[in-house]
Amino acid sequence: MSAQDLITFNIGGQKFTTTLSTLRRHQDSRIARILDGKDTDFKVISGQVFVDRDWTFFKYILDYMRTGQITLPAEFSDYNGLAQEAQFYGLYPLALWVERNIHRSRVEVLELRFSVQETQGFFRIFCSNNKTLEALATRISIFVEHPNLNGNFPHLPQNSSTPHPVPVQRPSHHDMVFHCGTDQLARDDISARFVTIEPDDRKLLNSTNVLGLLVDTLLKDGFRLIDTRTVSPEEKVECYMFERSRNTQIVVLSETPRAEHLRREDTQSQLGEGKKKK
């Protein structure tokens, strides 16, 4: 590769170097047409193409032009700015994708409610991301020792002292409930519920210990505790609020650099319709 195959951009004072072949992959884009020297927004100064735009978005623009995909960090939030820059450079498939994802939430919210009634602890977990809740549910196991056979666990053998697993309950896609502790069924008949949370293999009976392990598990999974409060003082219901930023997002667009089948006019029309709906 010779120096003649390279081109350097000065975007708002920050320099970026790429190849002419990268620009030619997007022949319908505005940025590719700078080669003819007719666009006044692109000025050649000291051998560099100067563009008076925000350079912080240009690295994503250049990534898309090189590979047909962009990697957005977990903390990225300025979709409006990225959409405007994509439109400015004439990369309409990218602009359309950003426009459609502007309002997409990048934060997961999880609420843990905990209460104690006599010798039992009750847990209810809500989460904005049902996939996260499903994954957590697969890691929580409930084991019942000497279960109540009056209809609660008809599928378990009678008079068994060996703990038997029972699933957590899922009232909806966004919550699950379970409880632990002991329950006296008759004068000399006690049922015990143990909880395990993978990868920890301990069977915990005490609800406070289960709460501590559950909070520790969420923190290790990347959640952070943002609030604690008492929801119902009479029923002693404690509420713990967590949130977590989503992982780095890799966006692969179906329109590859060599096969951008979205026409410029059609894409601009769709972008305009999206703005009218807001």
Side-chain angles (χ1 to χ4, degrees):
M1 180 184 299
S2 66
Q4 294 180 344
D5 296 322
L6 301 178
I7 183 170
T8 298
F9 289 90
N10 185 328
I11 311 296
Q14 186 75 20
K15 296 179 182 179
F16 298 85
T17 300
T18 188
T19 63
L20 295 177
S21 61
T22 295
L23 301 185
R24 294 191 179 107
R25 291 176 187 172
H26 302 263
Q27 295 181 1
D28 293 333
S29 68
R30 183 184 185 187
I31 195 171
R33 295 196 298 274
I34 67 171
L35 300 178
D36 60 23
K38 296 180 180 180
D39 196 320
T40 58
D41 282 325
F42 299 87
K43 302 178 178 64
V44 179
I45 302 175
S46 301
Q48 300 176 6
V49 179
F50 178 78
V51 188
D52 190 17
R53 304 291 293 189
D54 190 339
W55 66 267
T56 59
F57 296 104
F58 193 74
K59 57 184 177 181
Y60 304 121
I61 297 293
L62 198 54
D63 281 346
Y64 169 70
M65 296 189 69
R66 287 168 173 162
T67 65
Q69 67 183 42
I70 58 174
T71 301
L72 299 178
E75 65 274 10
F76 184 85
S77 60
D78 194 356
Y79 286 89
N80 280 311
L82 182 56
Q84 291 174 5
E85 293 304 295
Q87 290 182 59
F88 174 81
Y89 292 109
L91 298 169
Y92 297 103
L94 175 59
L96 181 59
W97 178 88
V98 175
E99 179 77 11
R100 289 173 174 172
N101 286 271
I102 283 177
H103 301 294
R104 183 180 179 183
S105 175
R106 299 285 296 156
V107 176
E108 295 180 56
V109 178
L110 184 144
E111 178 184 282
L112 165 61
R113 294 196 176 192
F114 168 67
S115 63
V116 176
Q117 298 179 18
E118 297 182 351
T119 58
Q120 298 185 83
F122 294 83
F123 299 83
R124 186 160 198 162
I125 302 175
F126 302 86
C127 188
S128 60
N129 188 336
N130 67 308
K131 291 184 178 180
T132 296
L133 199 65
E134 289 175 2
L136 182 60
T138 62
R139 297 167 62 185
I140 299 176
S141 300
I142 314 298
F143 294 88
V144 179
E145 181 179 288
H146 209 86
N148 182 350
L149 299 177
N150 295 326
N152 288 337
F153 304 102
H155 61 288
L156 299 181
Q158 297 189 18
N159 301 323
S160 172
S161 60
T162 302
H164 294 273
V166 296
V168 297
Q169 299 178 33
R170 295 291 306 276
S172 72
H173 291 296
H174 292 281
D175 70 329
M176 68 176 174
V177 296
F178 62 92
H179 67 277
C180 65
T182 59
D183 185 22
Q184 187 164 355
L185 309 177
R187 178 177 297 180
D188 298 319
D189 195 4
I190 297 179
S191 171
R193 278 177 173 258
F194 301 86
V195 175
T196 64
I197 305 176
E198 296 178 357
D200 195 298
D201 59 359
R202 292 174 296 168
K203 290 183 174 64
L204 301 178
L205 182 66
N206 183 281
S207 60
T208 302
N209 293 339
V210 174
L211 175 63
L213 178 58
L214 185 55
V215 170
D216 186 58
T217 299
L218 293 173
L219 295 177
K220 289 181 178 178
D221 285 349
F223 282 95
R224 63 187 186 94
L225 182 63
I226 60 174
D227 185 39
T228 60
R229 67 183 189 277
T230 300
V231 178
S232 174
E234 297 80 9
E235 299 179 1
K236 299 180 180 180
V237 178
E238 301 174 4
C239 180
Y240 301 82
M241 294 294 298
F242 299 82
E243 71 174 18
R244 176 176 68 177
S245 297
R246 292 185 180 179
N247 294 330
T248 299
Q249 183 181 17
I250 299 177
V251 180
V252 181
L253 301 182
S254 59
E255 295 78 24
T256 61
R258 296 183 180 277
E260 291 182 352
H261 59 268
L262 282 177
R263 295 175 58 243
R264 175 177 177 176
E265 294 81 1
D266 293 342
T267 311
Q268 286 180 311
S269 175
Q270 293 181 56
L271 287 170
E273 291 176 0
K275 292 180 179 179
K276 291 179 181 178
K277 294 179 181 179
K278 295 181 181 179

